[in-house]
């Protein structure tokens, strides 16, 4: 039997950004957000410093594949105030959503109190303003939908409890600061490729048939955890309702820089950029060390959620 055609076609020039491309000292370049701004691609990437804590840097591109890093980091932990207290251990895994004329940046803020999510905004990727810390500990992976639904901002998030580990929830807000109405929408499935953990990946993409969400799923092995990517389709008007979750992963660690690195066997996404030709550029960190990119067909990803589906919970 011949191999199936890959769902995500890897860019032939992967990895697209590594620490060798960064003009200040960093040890990794990974888990980046990417958006189109004024016809160009802007990447907000995470880097470990050699003290083990993370900062966020920017890189720009005309084609979405060849990126040039800017000379200075874009976000480092604030020195004082409430952000200083809650992001002292570093800022990680940003996501960006364009809404109401602003780019909304959600990022993991680490401190001795745990990990929570910060919200910052920018209009131009030159200046950035911290707005609020929008979760308590222990939350990660907040992605904001790019449209308001019934007047409310909507996000997917990933709390953690011993009773119900690492599932995806939905929450709503009238003002981006105060969030509530929280409900669980999707759970890991036992003895499945995402049985250990799932978490929101890229901000959802509006398609005619639903919100397409590319998420990550984790499987425990005797050799550590394997991080892969999957897809789910949420109802357009009621995104708490999942229309289908594809039974199989769409991407798994295969290239040498995905299998070996800072943390081995990891593909982890924070960004997917839909294009006018019906494709989507998907960006992922390889082994928590480098940035990679690939392309998929949006219709095919939506079809997978419907035609090859498993229940969300
Ligand atoms: C998760 C997060 C990600 C990371 C992944 C693999 O828990 O910390 O930032 O890419 O682990 O190490």
């Amino acid at each position: 039997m011949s191999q199936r055609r890959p769902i995500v076609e890897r860019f032939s020039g992967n990895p697209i950004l590594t620490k060798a491309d960064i003009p200040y000292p960093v040890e990794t370049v990974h888990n980046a957000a990417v958006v189109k701004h004024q016809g160009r691609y802007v990447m907000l990437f995470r880097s470990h410093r050699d003290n083990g804590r993370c900062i966020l840097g920017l890189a720009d591109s005309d084609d979405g594949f060849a990126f040039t890093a800017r000379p200075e980091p874009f976000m480092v932990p604030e020195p004082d105030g409430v952000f200083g207290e809650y992001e002292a251990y570093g800022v990680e895994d940003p996501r960006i959503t364009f809404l109401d004329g602003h780019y909304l940046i959600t990022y993991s803020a680490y401190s001795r109190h745990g990990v929570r999510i910060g919200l910052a905004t920018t209009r131009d990727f030159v200046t950035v303003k911290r707005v609020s810390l929008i979760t308590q500990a222990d939350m990660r992976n907040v992605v904001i939908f790019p449209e308001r639904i019934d007047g409310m901002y909507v996000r997917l998030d990933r709390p953690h409890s011993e009773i119900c580990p690492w599932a995806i929830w939905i929450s709503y807000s009238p003002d981006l600061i105060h969030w509530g109405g929280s409900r669980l929408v999707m759970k890991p499935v036992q003895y499945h490729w995402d049985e250990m953990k799932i978490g929101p990946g890229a901000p959802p993409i509006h398609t005619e048939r639903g919100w397409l969400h590319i998420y990550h799923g984790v499987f425990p092995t005797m050799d550590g955890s394997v991080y892969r990517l999957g897809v789910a389709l949420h109802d357009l008007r009621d995104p708490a309702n999942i229309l289908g979750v594809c039974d199989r992963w769409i991407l798994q660690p295969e290239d040498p820089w995905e299998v070996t690195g800072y943390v081995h066997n990891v593909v982890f996404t924070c960004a997917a950029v839909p294009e006018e030709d019906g494709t989507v550029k998907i960006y992922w960190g390889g082994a928590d060390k480098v940035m990679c990119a690939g392309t998929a067909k949006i219709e095919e990803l939506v079809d997978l959620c419907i035609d090859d589906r498993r229940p969300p919970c």
Side-chain angles (χ1 to χ4, degrees):
M1 207 171 91
S2 65
Q3 288 287 319
R4 282 205 253 218
R5 184 176 55 80
I7 299 165
V8 179
E9 193 181 325
R10 284 173 164 84
F11 175 59
S12 59
N14 277 346
I16 57 170
L17 204 70
T18 74
K19 70 174 188 172
D21 304 312
I22 312 304
Y24 43 89
V26 294
E27 299 305 316
T28 64
V29 175
H30 63 117
N31 297 7
V34 183
V35 286
K36 266 190 180 167
H37 170 58
Q38 296 180 339
R40 303 190 77 207
Y41 297 79
V42 181
M43 175 188 282
L44 180 63
F45 58 86
R46 167 182 170 193
S47 287
H48 285 90
R49 283 175 159 162
D50 61 7
N51 62 1
R53 297 184 178 178
C54 290
I55 58 173
L56 304 178
L58 281 177
D60 303 282
S61 169
D62 287 323
D63 66 359
F65 297 114
F67 281 87
T68 306
R70 297 196 193 169
E72 303 288 338
F74 188 60
M75 289 178 73
V76 300
E78 285 275 277
D80 42 40
V82 67
F83 289 99
E85 180 169 356
Y86 285 99
E87 57 190 48
Y89 289 180
V91 289
E92 304 188 0
D93 295 3
R95 274 80 173 187
I96 303 176
T97 295
F98 184 69
L99 191 52
D100 299 342
H102 295 268
Y103 294 96
L104 307 174
I105 302 171
T106 51
Y107 62 96
S108 299
Y110 278 80
S111 75
R112 64 200 166 93
H113 306 308
V115 54
R116 53 193 304 206
I117 297 295
L119 172 71
T121 63
T122 183
R123 279 178 182 274
D124 53 12
F125 292 100
V126 176
T127 58
V128 61
K129 187 173 115 200
R130 257 66 163 194
V131 178
S132 182
L133 290 149
I134 57 170
T135 69
Q136 308 94 324
D138 186 16
M139 296 274 272
R140 271 206 303 238
N141 304 310
V142 166
V143 300
I144 298 177
F145 284 73
E147 292 168 29
R148 288 199 238 188
I149 299 170
D150 293 334
M152 299 291 270
Y153 297 99
V154 185
R155 78 183 192 200
L156 300 175
D157 48 38
R158 216 284 304 279
H160 176 64
S161 85
E162 293 301 323
I163 297 173
C164 176
W166 297 300
I168 296 177
W169 291 57
I170 196 165
S171 304
Y172 304 85
S173 172
D175 58 6
L176 288 171
I177 314 286
H178 305 92
W179 293 85
S182 304
R183 282 174 58 190
L184 185 147
V185 294
M186 193 172 146
K187 272 181 142 170
V189 168
Q190 192 175 33
Y191 217 75
H192 197 255
W193 66 270
D194 61 2
E195 82 158 2
M196 182 183 170
K197 300 188 195 190
I198 56 172
I205 295 168
H206 187 140
T207 78
E208 275 176 18
R209 288 188 282 164
W211 292 104
L212 178 67
H213 175 218
I214 304 173
Y215 71 98
H216 69 262
V218 187
F219 189 83
T221 76
M222 293 303 285
D223 187 32
S225 307
V226 180
Y227 277 72
R228 301 183 173 100
L229 303 184
V231 277
L233 193 69
H234 296 239
D235 188 281
L236 278 182
R237 276 179 298 178
D238 177 13
N241 176 25
I242 296 193
L243 305 173
V245 180
C246 177
D247 191 52
R248 40 187 166 124
W249 66 72
I250 62 162
L251 190 79
Q252 71 156 347
E254 280 176 14
D255 273 339
W257 46 85
E258 298 164 348
V259 171
T260 311
Y262 190 78
V263 179
H264 63 270
N265 284 321
V266 176
V267 292
F268 189 96
T269 191
C270 296
V273 176
E275 303 288 1
E276 279 171 12
D277 64 359
T279 63
V280 57
K281 287 190 177 65
I282 304 174
Y283 296 89
W284 62 91
D288 283 3
K289 195 169 178 191
V290 299
M291 273 309 296
C292 305
T295 306
K297 294 190 178 72
I298 293 175
E299 281 300 298
E300 188 177 341
L301 297 179
V302 172
D303 283 344
L304 282 167
C305 295
I306 300 298
D307 300 341
D308 192 5
R309 90 182 112 176
R310 63 140 166 110
C313 294

